[in-house]
Amino acid sequence: MKKRVTDTSSKSKIDDKEDLEIKKVAHSNKYTSVILLIILIVLFTLTLFCTLFYIGNYYEKKFNIKDNKEVIEVNNVKSKTLITNNGPFEKAIDDTITESEVNIESYANVEVNTKEDSKENGRLVFDVKYEIEKNDFVYNAISSINSDVIVRFSYSFDNETWENVNYVISTPFSTIDAITSNFYDVGGITGNINVATNYELTSKPGESKKMYWKSETIIRNRESTVGKVYRANFKIEYKASA
């Protein structure tokens, strides 16, 4: 009877080769998966960045916000109106200031463009406000030109010749009168100061009418004011247009 001999060593070698090929394929698949995952992460990051970038551009174009500047645009069948505000400002008195006082100017303007085919004048109604958000300086029961903080308001129709506001204006708790050189004492006052209320600007069909407003804030640099902070926002608020 013949015996059948099986070459186990040869079979073992074949199995080892097959196992090695399987491991190579598995390793290759794992490496490929890692590469794909990295690519997906990079693509997701780029997509997120682009999305945020375009969203930011969209809102910048929609609201025209650059730095602190704000532009409000309103269109109707008769006219197109624009309101431009420079935005809030802040000043702290510290040892780096060598001048005896700091003068800060802030601007805002409005424009009414009436369409040529309009049968009526274009009209914009707005308020002019000076909002004091933070005021560490001393409040004076009696207004004084020597106050730590004084402010003057003016307007112009050509951005060259300015007319100072000198009437009584209202604060959240009282009214204040203009003092020397049409300045107002705002030491220690916070909240909205109403510079002009329900002001109307009109333009004829085919005409563009523009009005400029300005605030001049003077903060005194004294030993008693060092370390104090003042933050305000001079702005025009839209109310109605036609």
Side-chain angles (χ1 to χ4, degrees), residues 134-183:
K134 185 175 179 60
N135 190 349
D136 294 339
F137 299 87
V138 176
Y139 171 78
N140 299 304
I142 300 176
S143 297
S144 170
I145 192 64
N146 293 316
S147 174
D148 290 342
V149 186
I150 56 176
V151 61
R152 179 167 59 190
F153 307 105
S154 53
Y155 59 88
S156 172
F157 289 98
D158 59 8
N159 205 22
E160 294 181 2
T161 304
W162 292 86
E163 184 74 23
N164 292 325
V165 170
N166 59 6
Y167 45 77
V168 177
I169 59 178
S170 63
T171 74
F173 308 105
S174 63
T175 57
I176 52 176
D177 293 287
I179 47 179
T180 307
S181 300
N182 300 309
F183 278 98

Side-chain angles (χ1 to χ4, degrees), residues 43-59:
L43 289 175
F44 174 78
T45 304
L46 288 174
T47 303
L48 180 63
F49 174 80
C50 292
T51 302
L52 293 175
F53 177 78
Y54 284 111
I55 289 174
N57 279 350
Y58 167 77
Y59 280 103

